[in-house]
Amino acid sequence: AACPMGFGWHPWFARPPGCRVRFASAATFQRDERKLPVEVLPSTGVDGDEASWLGTDGHYAGWDGLAELHRPDLTLRLQATGDWSRNLQFFAPADRPVLCLEPVSHVPDVINRPQFAAWGAMHVLAPGAELRGTITLSVG
């Protein structure tokens, strides 16, 4: 039978002092105490050093499919296409020297929050159907 589906990739990256992150998006979400979306907020994404995003745990929709992590020793460039290229979860805990740039196919809990489906719905797939996308991670 047809079933709602979504996918995501959740890589963790080391975050030494002096990092910068850049990605563009059209929206982010105000969240409730369970960290689930309750309201769409306009967003241009993230473009800055740790002072501007440390402690962030948020979802970004209308993502352009490109995210960059500039560390003092290298630059990581994550590029997504297809069903992976419109939503990005960004997690940068203040208490650990890591961060996550996580391409996902849909808004968190969108199956229970249809008012956000325009920003990234789950796909109802019939048997044999598939989601498609590519992720390229380059290091320079």
Side-chain angles (χ1 to χ4, degrees):
C3 179
M5 299 295 290
F7 61 17
W9 187 51
H10 308 285
W12 291 74
F13 301 105
R15 180 183 50 81
C19 287
R20 294 184 58 82
V21 170
R22 192 214 72 78
F23 62 85
S25 71
T28 190
F29 295 86
Q30 181 178 2
R31 300 178 310 155
D32 64 17
E33 63 282 347
R34 295 183 307 150
K35 300 190 178 192
L36 296 173
V38 294
E39 181 181 352
V40 177
L41 304 172
S43 172
T44 58
V46 171
D47 187 1
D49 62 15
E50 294 171 333
S52 66
W53 46 259
L54 194 60
T56 297
D57 182 6
H59 185 83
Y60 294 83
W63 176 47
D64 68 359
L66 175 64
E68 296 175 338
L69 168 58
H70 300 276
R71 297 176 10 163
D73 58 339
L74 55 84
T75 296
L76 294 163
R77 181 180 168 110
L78 185 147
Q79 191 152 19
T81 66
D83 291 313
W84 254 322
S85 65
R86 292 176 292 282
N87 284 271
L88 184 73
Q89 190 75 23
F90 178 46
F91 178 54
D95 63 341
R96 289 172 272 168
V98 296
L99 62 77
C100 299
L101 293 163
E102 308 172 58
V104 293
S105 63
H106 57 281
V107 173
D109 198 37
V110 72
I111 198 164
N112 295 309
R113 297 162 193 271
Q115 69 271 30
F116 303 130
W119 292 103
M122 294 191 79
H123 300 267
V124 177
L125 299 181
E130 58 190 31
L131 294 174
R132 286 185 169 237
T134 62
I135 294 176
T136 303
L137 183 61
S138 55
V139 180

